[in-house]
Amino acid sequence: MDRKVKFGKPAAFFDVFDRRPGPIKKNMHYCPGCGHGVLHKLIAEALVDLDLQDRMVIISPVGCAVFAYYYFDTGGISVPHGRAPAVATGIIRANPDSFVISYQGDGDLGAIGLNNFLQAANRGENMTVCFVNNAIYGMTSGQMAPTTLVGQKTATSPYGRSVENEGFPLKVCEMVAALESPIYVERVALTSPKNIMAARRALRKGLTNMKERRGFSLIEFLSGCPVNQKMTTKEVDEWIETKMIPYFPLGCFKDVAKERKPIERPKPSFDKKKVIDALVSSAGIMKWGAKSATLRKELRIKCAGYGGQGILSLGMMIAAMGQSRDINVSWLPSYGPEMRGGTANCSVVLSNDQIGSPVVKETNILIAMNQPSMNKFLPDLVKGGILLYDSTNIAPPKTDRRVYAVKASDIAISLGNIRCANSVIMGAFAACLKGFELEEFEVAFEEAIKRTFRKKKELVDLNIRAFHEGHNSVETRNV
Ligand SMILES: Cc1ncc(C[n+]2csc(CCOP(=O)(O)OP(=O)(O)O)c2C)c(N)n1
Ligand code: SF4
Ligand SMILES: [Mg+2]
């Protein structure tokens, strides 16, 4: 163990923090007296001394440490709140030659991400979790955390945490030590020099376990957040020593690294062909092709009819087909009394740009399968818009828009199943769009149908026949 005191910036930090926006490039963003700054330095020193820097990925949580990647000259990812151990698992499983630190606050690890964390611990993933317990949500200005002490006042517990309302603070080390897989669990404090030296030793032990591929280590760092605890740095250290440590005792809760046989996991495969095959067969429709070059503008589509006519799946199918062409899509169903046989509708947007709102009011294409839907939504069809309707159920409308009609219900009945009327409509829809917006529609439809009904072969054939009937039977009314 290296006992030499070191000065200056460890080489695992960037010389200049160029990733940090604004003029300050030499200092960290942490408040004076914050435990994160101290721990960062301990980590950076250890990465150099243990020769881990080049293969290390540090996962920054949501919380005050979210910008850890400004400082560490290592691999780094910022992840959604609480998801650090899940992302760390992905990295370590996909590339077992890498090393990974899951760096987490008490809100991140103990509240929103508790399940992610416990499951990773229970699986015994080869990672080191650095858990910064400052008994508060630092980044968001001091709300109560799972580790807030009983009686501690925070922004959301102005009268102090109470056992009656919130229960006792979560003892994470004690909980994890009770699990079978973790090999090393220790609680330390970032307060006095003596405690910081103990923290340094614990951190290095956890990182060494990972380096030797022994499994899951957790180190909990009791830490100050002077700003939100409204204390000076000296007061916060005293508070940790006199209030936190009696409830969260320091020490090693488990250390079985040496006697445990590490869990062996299968080596991942990066055979390009196998990966593509796996992706394509599970997504099916992804084979459809490259990004559509022919979608010139945003298409806002409304599908409407009776509940039970397959309106929502019609819209879903259009959205899925757009998605498979790498077009941005949204699908917004309208539920409610419609589910009991009234009108049902859904809004679909296809766009090469970002979609501002999934609500379709000004409609480019209206697909109407019953009269009330036609009456309700036709006024929203923009000038130059397309109306496609089921002429079995709907009287010819008076409109100056482009109109296409198909006897969808009659055709579906003649094919033996009224429920394939939506596939007839899809065929008609493809014919309306031919050479206009989306190419290779038929190929995509067949793939989507095969995927949807993969366990009912007879429905695949029926829906494909319905699609072709609809395609061939659509009539233009006023183009
Ligand atoms: C999904 C999600 N929920 C909530 C938030 C808001 N949020 C940001 S940081 C934070 C709490 C961070 O507290 P902690 O994990 O203890 O980190 P600290 O800042 O104290 O180090 C919360 C709730 C968010 N960003 N994302
Ligand atoms: S708010 Fe608290 S946790 Fe966040 S940087 Fe400041 S002292 Fe540290
Ligand atoms: Mg916190």
Side-chain angles (χ1 to χ4, degrees):
M1 181 70 60
D2 178 11
R3 288 180 164 277
K4 258 201 334 248
V5 176
K6 295 188 179 167
F7 298 94
K9 206 180 254 180
F13 280 144
F14 291 114
D15 258 357
V16 179
F17 300 144
D18 279 329
R19 291 178 174 176
R20 192 177 171 192
I24 301 174
K25 303 289 186 195
K26 287 274 178 192
N27 299 348
M28 294 185 178
H29 69 284
Y30 300 114
C31 314
C34 174
H36 284 300
V38 179
L39 178 56
H40 277 30
K41 184 152 186 201
L42 295 183
I43 292 176
E45 280 179 1
L47 295 188
V48 177
D49 291 350
L50 297 174
D51 194 20
L52 290 170
Q53 181 180 359
D54 289 345
R55 277 184 288 155
M56 174 59 69
V57 182
I58 298 183
I59 317 267
S60 329
V62 166
C64 277
V66 68
F67 299 125
Y69 65 87
Y70 287 173
Y71 312 121
F72 289 104
D73 186 5
T74 61
I77 308 186
S78 277
V79 297
H81 212 6
R83 302 300 173 253
V87 175
T89 301
I91 289 170
I92 209 73
R93 293 274 186 111
N95 182 6
D97 287 338
S98 60
F99 300 114
V100 64
I101 291 179
S102 179
Y103 189 114
Q104 301 188 257
D106 39 40
D108 189 79
L109 179 149
I112 193 167
L114 185 62
N115 185 40
N116 272 227
F117 162 72
L118 282 179
Q119 299 295 349
N122 197 43
R123 290 191 304 268
E125 301 292 345
N126 187 44
M127 64 174 77
T128 304
V129 176
C130 291
F131 169 37
V132 177
N133 177 2
N134 56 13
I136 207 154
Y137 286 10
M139 187 190 212
T140 41
S141 313
Q143 294 82 2
M144 188 176 62
T147 52
T148 293
L149 295 181
V150 173
Q152 185 185 334
K153 291 184 180 160
T154 68
T156 46
S157 58
Y159 303 108
R161 180 186 186 135
S162 76
V163 173
E164 298 76 31
N165 276 336
E166 292 92 16
F168 288 99
L170 212 58
K171 295 193 174 191
V172 171
C173 279
E174 288 80 343
M175 225 161 54
V176 172
L179 298 175
E180 197 56 32
S181 296
I183 48 164
Y184 173 55
V185 181
E186 178 148 2
R187 184 182 289 125
V188 293
L190 298 172
T191 51
S192 61
K194 183 171 164 237
N195 279 340
I196 291 176
M197 288 310 282
R200 186 173 184 266
R201 277 193 297 278
L203 174 70
R204 284 165 186 244
K205 198 161 184 177
L207 292 174
T208 305
N209 287 340
M210 176 173 55
K211 185 175 178 182
E212 293 171 359
R213 315 268 172 219
R214 291 182 185 275
F216 188 95
S217 300
L218 164 70
I219 302 122
E220 176 174 341
F221 299 87
L222 301 187
S223 174
C225 174
V227 170
N228 287 306
Q229 282 149 351
K230 299 182 180 44
M231 295 181 198
T232 63
T233 52
K234 183 162 177 283
E235 284 165 353
V236 92
D237 276 359
E238 281 164 11
W239 182 81
I240 293 171
E241 304 262 350
T242 56
K243 299 281 194 269
M244 271 189 105
I245 293 177
Y247 184 80
F248 294 116
L250 304 184
C252 182
F253 293 83
K254 186 171 185 183
D255 183 3
V256 293
K258 289 273 157 21
E259 59 255 40
R260 273 290 169 77
K261 191 171 169 297
I263 299 170
E264 294 284 341
R265 298 209 145 90
K267 284 254 179 263
S269 156
F270 288 106
D271 182 318
K272 196 170 164 191
K273 188 176 170 319
K274 277 189 195 157
V275 171
I276 291 173
D277 283 353
L279 286 174
V280 171
S281 65
S282 65
I285 192 171
M286 274 179 63
K287 278 186 187 151
W288 193 17
K291 188 178 179 74
S292 172
T294 54
L295 184 70
R296 291 182 299 266
K297 57 176 183 176
E298 191 168 84
L299 277 187
R300 305 187 73 82
I301 303 167
K302 177 78 79 181
C303 307
Y306 287 123
Q309 276 182 311
I311 295 294
L312 301 188
S313 36
L314 176 67
M316 180 65 93
M317 188 84 76
I318 296 170
M321 290 165 70
Q323 195 179 26
S324 71
R325 304 306 306 275
D326 206 12
I327 295 170
N328 293 325
V329 301
S330 66
W331 173 81
L332 187 69
S334 171
Y335 291 96
E338 291 92 338
M339 298 302 282
R340 294 185 287 277
T343 58
N345 75 77
C346 64
S347 300
V348 179
V349 182
L350 306 180
S351 178
N352 274 332
D353 287 330
Q354 283 188 347
I355 295 173
S357 163
V359 176
V360 172
K361 179 69 178 161
E362 293 182 346
T363 308
N364 301 114
I365 301 177
L366 170 62
I367 301 176
M369 291 187 70
N370 69 359
Q371 193 69 50
S373 303
M374 171 80 100
N375 300 345
K376 185 169 175 191
F377 295 114
L378 187 56
D380 296 337
L381 196 59
V382 298
K383 220 168 179 321
I386 296 176
L387 165 67
L388 167 63
Y389 70 97
D390 181 352
S391 49
T392 308
N393 302 329
I394 302 176
K398 285 197 177 59
T399 174
D400 60 355
R401 308 297 188 244
R402 293 163 67 130
V403 179
Y404 297 84
V406 65
K407 292 193 173 308
S409 300
D410 279 352
I411 292 172
I413 291 168
S414 73
L415 290 173
N417 191 337
I418 180 67
R419 300 189 68 169
C420 65
N422 57 356
S423 292
V424 179
I425 284 280
M426 280 295 274
F429 182 61
C432 305
L433 293 183
K434 199 142 207 167
F436 176 60
E437 294 291 353
L438 295 169
E439 70 271 31
E440 296 175 30
F441 202 105
E442 293 153 50
V443 181
F445 176 81
E446 289 194 11
E447 293 212 358
I449 284 292
K450 280 181 193 152
R451 191 178 52 148
T452 309
F453 297 115
R454 59 189 177 282
K455 293 201 178 123
K456 294 183 184 163
K457 285 264 176 311
E458 66 291 358
L459 292 184
V460 172
D461 294 342
L462 174 67
N463 280 280
I464 289 176
R465 266 190 294 139
F467 178 88
H468 288 293
E469 284 290 325
H471 194 275
N472 297 335
S473 314
V474 67
E475 300 167 20
T476 53
R477 287 285 157 97
N478 63 350
V479 181

